[in-house]
Amino acid sequence: MENQRLIFVTNDDGYASKGLAAAVEVARAFGRVVVVAPETAQSGMSQAITMYNPLYLRCVSQEPGVEVYAFSGTPVDCVKMAFDYLLREQRVDLVISGINHGSNSAVNVLYSGTMGAAIEGSFYGCPAVGLSLDDHAPDADFEAAVRFGRQIVGQVLDGQVELPLCLNVNVPAGRPEELHGIKLCRQNRGFWREEFYRHEDPRGREYFWLTGEFVNSEPSAEDTDEWALAHGWVSVVPVQVDMTDYGQLKKLESFFRR
């Protein structure tokens, strides 16, 4: 079909993840699907790109309406490979990144490879949606994420959206009927407080495992993504690349006047 929509899909959990299969399920309801996803898990890569190693692309599968490629780079590398090589002569209507195993709410949006890819996709003149499920289990139930993901993607594709548009969508764990619906939110002002656990290998060399705990700086605020997730709502946060602190910009004018 000449006018069939083209949906590009990627993720940060790797091409073989259950969440990617769920994202393809969302995407194929709206048109032809092309997937370029990392060969291996790339969580926490944010906007990282590969500059000092060769990159390898291979076709994993081709069937009517769905092509899947595995790429040796980061999630952002996957987006660049798709738009600047594989699909450079084609018009992409939407980017879907996910569905991530684990929430990308609050400050996680800065660390997330899922959201790094979604943000990168929005640079190419089409809307982008990062989808995440608040469940890290390998056998997580993605039915609610698929159902609400389809609803949100359909609204974006059928609406008169202003570009650039990138949405950070997080779905609580649970059955679809247990969730209350979709809530437009702002990003929570929490942060991570990390700990490093020191160990020694059999040769006596020290090594460390990183772990941490999320600190919610505004637990009672009811307009944030963290509140929505904790209370059974699908959170939708529009995100932007401009990180200028406009409040500080005004306050600092007197500091740097010539």
Side-chain angles (χ1 to χ4, degrees):
M1 289 175 60
E2 245 179 74
N3 297 321
Q4 187 182 34
R5 286 168 170 152
L6 173 56
I7 313 297
F8 172 67
V9 177
T10 189
N11 75 345
D12 72 354
D13 288 317
Y15 77 93
S17 72
K18 187 176 179 181
L20 183 75
V24 170
E25 191 179 339
V26 171
R28 70 189 310 165
F30 300 98
R32 175 179 160 233
V33 180
V34 174
V35 177
V36 180
E39 280 276 7
T40 58
Q42 297 282 328
S43 294
M45 283 294 182
S46 187
Q47 300 287 144
I49 57 175
T50 302
M51 297 178 64
Y52 302 110
N53 293 299
L55 294 165
Y56 299 91
L57 179 73
R58 67 184 180 90
C59 181
V60 174
S61 63
Q62 284 184 308
E63 58 182 88
V66 180
E67 300 171 38
V68 179
Y69 297 86
F71 195 44
S72 63
T74 68
V76 167
D77 289 333
C78 291
V79 177
K80 291 180 179 294
M81 166 54 69
F83 279 90
D84 296 328
Y85 182 76
L86 273 181
L87 305 174
R88 66 178 178 270
E89 303 297 332
Q90 301 177 59
R91 178 180 180 273
V92 178
D93 293 279
L94 182 86
V95 171
I96 296 175
S97 184
I99 298 173
N100 191 64
H101 292 254
S103 163
N104 279 314
S105 60
V107 74
N108 292 313
V109 69
L110 297 176
Y111 303 114
S112 165
T114 298
M115 287 308 301
I119 291 167
E120 186 72 22
S122 73
F123 295 164
Y124 287 88
C126 63
V129 179
L131 293 173
S132 302
L133 176 67
D134 192 15
D135 190 341
H136 288 275
D139 62 345
D141 181 358
F142 283 88
E143 185 175 342
V146 169
R147 184 179 299 185
F148 285 102
R150 277 184 181 156
Q151 182 178 339
I152 291 164
V153 166
Q155 289 168 327
V156 169
L157 285 171
D158 295 336
Q160 298 297 312
V161 299
E162 183 177 334
L163 299 176
L165 177 71
C166 182
L167 300 180
N168 182 15
V169 178
N170 288 279
V171 181
R175 300 292 302 158
E177 60 273 12
E178 296 171 344
L179 307 186
H180 302 309
I182 296 169
K183 189 174 179 66
L184 192 63
C185 307
R186 66 173 174 85
Q187 180 182 319
N188 177 272
R189 295 190 184 101
F191 58 92
W192 281 91
R193 186 58 68 228
E194 276 81 16
E195 285 187 63
F196 287 90
Y197 285 91
R198 180 189 176 280
H199 301 274
E200 288 188 3
D201 70 13
R203 296 185 178 182
R205 295 175 301 184
E206 66 178 4
Y207 67 94
F208 299 88
W209 280 109
L210 173 65
T211 185
E213 182 179 357
F214 178 73
V215 179
N216 188 339
S217 300
E218 41 182 356
S220 60
E222 297 185 5
D223 61 342
T224 73
D225 48 9
E226 281 292 313
W227 188 94
L229 279 174
H231 291 83
W233 292 88
V234 176
S235 69
V236 178
V237 178
V239 300
Q240 64 180 10
V241 175
D242 184 354
M243 296 178 70
T244 307
D245 186 333
Y246 288 96
Q248 287 286 11
L249 190 65
K250 192 71 178 170
K251 293 173 186 174
L252 291 169
E253 281 181 355
S254 62
F255 284 53
F256 302 102
R257 279 192 187 136
R258 295 184 178 179

